[in-house]
Amino acid sequence: MTTPDTATTASAVATSPSTAPPGTPRRLGSLGPVGLVFAGGVSVQFGGALAVMLMPRAGALGVVALRLAVAAVVLLLVCRPRLRGYSRTDWGTVVVFGLTMAGMNGLFYQAVDRIPLGPAVTLEVLGPLALSVLASRRAVNLVWAGLALAGVFLLGGGGFGDLDPVGAAFALGAGAMWAAYIVFSARTGRRFPQADGLALAMAVGAVLFLPLGIAEAGTKLLDPVTIGLGAAVALLSSVLPYTLELLALRRLPASTFAVLMSLEPAIAATAGFLLLDQALTHTQALAIALVIAASMGAVRTQVGRRKAVRIEVGS
């Protein structure tokens, strides 16, 4: 878990009045960037647990299609993004952002359809962790990477014998897309005002994924109960967390944001236990703890480096 001094230091290093985006709601901004990330994590993991409950009605691809479509409609109505005045590079960024969201969601939901929510998120979070290690380029982060790999080894029972290997592969693929999502969410936030870029990217993802959802679920997507549950999943897993994360990424470096994602496995395991009755074995709990410890170590290493740089500059 994030210690108070880690969270406080990360927030202090990354946040300054000049970096806050114009028009950011004061109520959201008062949480601070670390608070925004944590709130988004709670929302997305409990939304993921609700999505697992919806899968018997609409299938994994159908749930993703509903989630993206409803989220796109809500964000487009709320943000009403303008379509003119952007460069080709701007549009390229938002399209790739939409592709990464669609890929991340599609792969992850295929994973949780096969393996428990906690282990799935633990494997997925390796993507952001790898991004942090590569971005920092410090030798000590190899220690944290090794600790994370030890956790993954335990999680898979020494070779993923205790987990569906296909589900584990989908979770790892989702992690790679998550790392890409972090990069392009930050770029989109810098190029588009407010949440306009997020709304446009969500629309891109929804258009690309809707045919897949229709192919799997068909007319089941028109059931009122399914639509209602899908709307709840969209709000919890897309609209609220992505908006919070986009605001946070305007005030946090991508690598710092990535390692804060280490809280996700613990939140997911809690949501899986409370809503899905998915209890963890002692080995799985230890594995998740190792991955969290690795990410927290990476956070402290990076924050310590930033403090040292500021001291050198000021001396």
Side-chain angles (χ1 to χ4, degrees):
M1 295 179 65
T2 303
T3 57
D5 57 332
T6 302
T8 303
T9 306
S11 179
V13 170
T15 308
S16 66
S18 63
T19 58
T24 300
R26 291 184 179 180
R27 187 172 299 176
L28 291 178
S30 64
L31 291 175
V34 174
L36 292 172
V37 174
F38 180 74
V42 172
S43 180
V44 75
Q45 296 309 330
F46 277 84
L50 181 60
V52 173
M53 299 168 65
L54 179 58
M55 284 180 187
R57 303 181 65 95
L61 298 180
V63 172
V64 177
L66 270 176
R67 169 180 168 174
L68 293 175
V70 173
V73 170
V74 171
L75 286 172
L76 289 173
L77 288 176
V78 171
C79 298
R80 297 183 181 180
R82 61 183 177 87
L83 301 179
R84 297 181 180 180
Y86 298 116
S87 68
R88 183 177 300 179
T89 302
D90 293 337
W91 282 112
T93 299
V94 85
V95 168
V96 175
F97 185 28
L99 287 170
T100 61
M101 279 197 292
M104 178 178 65
N105 283 289
L107 290 169
F108 179 72
Y109 278 47
Q110 289 290 332
V112 296
D113 197 29
R114 293 169 171 82
I115 61 178
L117 186 62
V121 176
T122 302
L123 292 173
E124 187 191 25
V125 83
L126 294 178
L129 180 59
L131 174 63
S132 174
V133 171
L134 292 174
S136 67
R137 299 178 182 179
R138 296 197 68 189
V140 68
N141 276 307
L142 294 178
V143 175
W144 307 127
L147 193 62
L149 290 176
V152 172
F153 184 80
L154 283 177
L155 190 64
F160 292 102
D162 294 337
L163 293 176
D164 183 318
V166 177
F170 277 128
L172 290 171
M177 297 303 293
W178 194 356
Y181 159 82
I182 291 170
V183 173
F184 284 95
S185 180
R187 293 181 182 179
T188 301
R190 289 192 294 267
R191 290 179 177 274
F192 291 82
Q194 302 299 319
D196 287 10
L198 174 62
L200 294 171
M202 192 71 73
V204 171
V207 169
L208 291 173
F209 217 95
L210 195 58
L212 297 176
I214 293 174
E216 180 178 75
T219 57
K220 295 178 181 178
L221 294 178
L222 301 178
D223 178 72
V225 175
T226 301
I227 293 175
L229 291 173
V233 171
L235 291 173
L236 287 173
S237 296
S238 294
V239 177
L240 181 58
Y242 289 172
T243 301
L244 294 175
E245 289 171 2
L246 187 143
L247 292 174
L249 278 165
R250 287 175 173 172
R251 303 163 64 184
L252 279 178
S255 55
T256 301
F257 174 88
V259 291
L260 287 174
M261 293 294 98
S262 62
L263 291 175
E264 298 280 346
I267 297 171
T270 302
F273 175 75
L274 293 176
L275 300 182
L276 305 174
D277 197 26
Q278 294 179 345
L280 296 175
T281 66
H282 293 299
T283 301
Q284 289 175 331
L286 177 60
I288 291 174
L290 287 175
V291 173
I292 291 173
S295 294
M296 288 299 96
V299 167
R300 296 184 70 88
T301 298
Q302 184 176 354
V303 170
R305 181 188 181 189
R306 290 178 179 275
K307 288 174 67 176
V309 169
R310 292 208 315 273
I311 291 172
E312 290 178 3
V313 171
S315 60

